[in-house]
Amino acid sequence: MYNPKSTKAEEFISHQEVLNTIEYAEKNKNNKSLINEIIEKAKKKKGLSHQEASVLLACDDENLNKTIFELAKEIKEEYYGNRIVLFAPLYLSNYCINGCTYCPYHAKNKHIPRKKMTQEEIKNEVIALQDMGHKRLAIESGEDPVNNPIEYILESINTIYSIKHKNGAIRRVNVNIAATTVENYKKLHEAGIGTYILFQETYNKESYEKLHPTGPKHNYAYHTEAMDRAMQAGIDDVGIGVLFGLESYKYEFAAILMHAEHLEAVYGVGPHTISVPRIRKADDIDPNAFSNALDDEIFKKIVAIIRIAVPYTGMIISTRESKECRKDLLELGISQISGGSKTSVGGYYKPEKEDEDSSQFEVNDNRTLDEVVNWLMELDYLPSFCTACYGNHRTGERFMELCKDQQIHNFCHPNAIMTLKEYLVDYASYETQKTGDNLLLKEINKIQDETKKQIVLSNLEKIKNGERDFKF
């Protein structure tokens, strides 16, 4: 039985409810009256149910789909403006005891080099990331209680936060590690993490168990209920996601929205972020072996409708996607992207040799962070390195209240301006500095509150003179 208020995985992600939703959407994909009714509801910018969103996804009327895409762009602009948050992944270790059939870190892979960074190596990687201009990291690690115990993760977080190099500092460490206990989530919370991120991979239990034949990740309920344990431990910013290509996209789409509804129903706070990766080639993994691949057009529509259905949540796209695809997705709902990323254990400080490649997947956008920042600004986006909400304890329910009321813009926009100025002064190439200074003039003039504008202008001067980390 479907029950979003339940904390049991098979009740808040009810298989039968997903199937019923897909059937309902298919029956109504040409029901223009219903679709127009759902679009009118969506225009209120308060979100949609998983069933309503699935009807929009099934719709194959060209004119209605055009309306859906335009609405997604409008909602993206109202909630997030033209800001795009930048981050980088940092892989600590690829030792793993799971048997995931889509990931080259699976335990049976004897080909891939196994690596685990020492604290000194982590320090070197973080300095290299700081020297690129990054302020926000997402740390990644395989599941291995011997090689990657929670104590190693906590020590690594402490190391990352402790490093101050020149004007560099990592101000927010998001954590993407395997499902764990309430006790361990409490430890992560006490360590000062930002968002706890965990991808479901697939919400279809039967497929999930086949894709995870061995290892602790085989336990569907324990994995699916991870966000509940994280919330119970005090982590109020969580990020969910699926790996598109493993199961029917219609199934995953309905289920991930059901997961968002569950978190909202039980904890009053939906997901801080939703990630939408697609399966990619990596070492011994061939994406063509999976029959549920989706093309770019369907992928764009999924992003657009998630933006409409869950307008308050951040949406993340990684360097799995190409420059061209990322450009289209930015318009439709994406609010965070990685830049200058490495998906190997190490590689920022010292590039890996070809025969030592430990990448989790192939990167399709290999540009440097500076190139990505310049590209964003040329597209009239405002690159943001802001972590002020985390620093000012605007997380969880407090953040969502501001976001749902479309008030977060009053904080994020000036903070984005100031953190971009830091980047331009400390790290940008000459061309990027020129593009950025011109953009900042336009962005400053968008600030309607004269007092706030004068504070920003004053802080920009202070940044030029060496001061850092101003925030509203």
Side-chain angles (χ1 to χ4, degrees), residues 172 174-177 193-200 203 223 226-227 230-231 235-242 256 259 263 270-275 313-314 316 336 400:
R172 181 177 177 119
N174 297 333
V175 174
N176 184 355
I177 63 169
I193 71 165
T195 304
Y196 173 67
I197 302 164
L198 185 67
F199 297 167
Q200 182 62 27
Y203 283 96
H223 187 87
M227 294 308 180
M231 288 279 199
I235 298 174
D236 52 6
D237 280 353
V238 297
I240 62 176
V242 295
I256 200 168
H259 201 169
L263 294 173
H272 188 73
T273 57
I274 292 178
S275 297
T313 195
I316 300 175
Q336 295 188 28
M400 287 301 174

Side-chain angles (χ1 to χ4, degrees), residues 356-370:
E356 296 178 356
D357 184 15
S358 61
S359 299
Q360 191 185 31
F361 57 86
E362 286 188 0
V363 168
N364 277 316
D365 187 346
N366 289 291
R367 291 173 296 167
T368 66
L369 177 61
D370 191 76

Side-chain angles (χ1 to χ4, degrees), residues 131-146:
D131 284 346
M132 291 165 60
H134 278 295
K135 307 293 184 191
R136 178 189 300 239
L137 301 183
I139 61 171
E140 321 263 351
S141 175
E143 183 170 11
D144 187 326
V146 174

Side-chain angles (χ1 to χ4, degrees), residues 40 44-45 74 122 138 146 148 151 156 208 240-241 244 274 282 294 329 331 339 403 409 420 430:
E40 286 305 308
K44 296 176 182 176
K45 304 180 179 66
E74 183 181 325
I122 291 171
V146 174
N148 314 325
E151 291 75 18
S156 300
Y208 181 95
I240 62 176
F244 282 102
I274 292 178
L294 62 160
L329 296 175
E331 290 186 3
C403 196
H409 180 80
L420 176 59
Y430 176 70

Side-chain angles (χ1 to χ4, degrees), residues 288-301:
N288 294 320
F290 299 87
S291 60
N292 287 294
L294 62 160
D295 62 34
D296 286 356
E297 291 309 307
I298 290 294
F299 191 44
K300 292 171 191 174
K301 192 173 182 185

Side-chain angles (χ1 to χ4, degrees), residues 7 182 185-186 225 227-235 266-267:
T7 54
V182 172
Y185 285 127
K186 286 180 180 177
E225 294 161 8
M227 294 308 180
D228 293 79
R229 295 192 298 279
M231 288 279 199
Q232 291 158 17
I235 298 174
V266 177
Y267 305 102

Side-chain angles (χ1 to χ4, degrees), residues 346-415:
Y348 292 110
Y349 172 68
K350 187 178 180 181
E352 287 187 308
K353 295 178 182 178
E354 190 171 334
D355 61 348
E356 296 178 356
D357 184 15
S358 61
S359 299
Q360 191 185 31
F361 57 86
E362 286 188 0
V363 168
N364 277 316
D365 187 346
N366 289 291
R367 291 173 296 167
T368 66
L369 177 61
D370 191 76
E371 289 171 330
V372 171
V373 169
N374 198 22
W375 169 72
L376 286 171
M377 294 190 299
E378 287 176 346
L379 294 173
D380 208 30
Y381 290 108
L382 175 60
S384 175
F385 296 88
C386 177
T387 59
C389 285
Y390 167 70
N392 286 328
H393 306 292
R394 285 193 298 268
T395 59
E397 192 170 359
R398 175 60 180 148
F399 175 87
M400 287 301 174
E401 285 173 357
L402 290 166
C403 196
K404 289 177 181 179
D405 289 341
Q406 298 176 34
Q407 297 299 313
I408 200 68
H409 180 80
N410 295 327
F411 300 99
C412 292
H413 183 244
N415 287 331

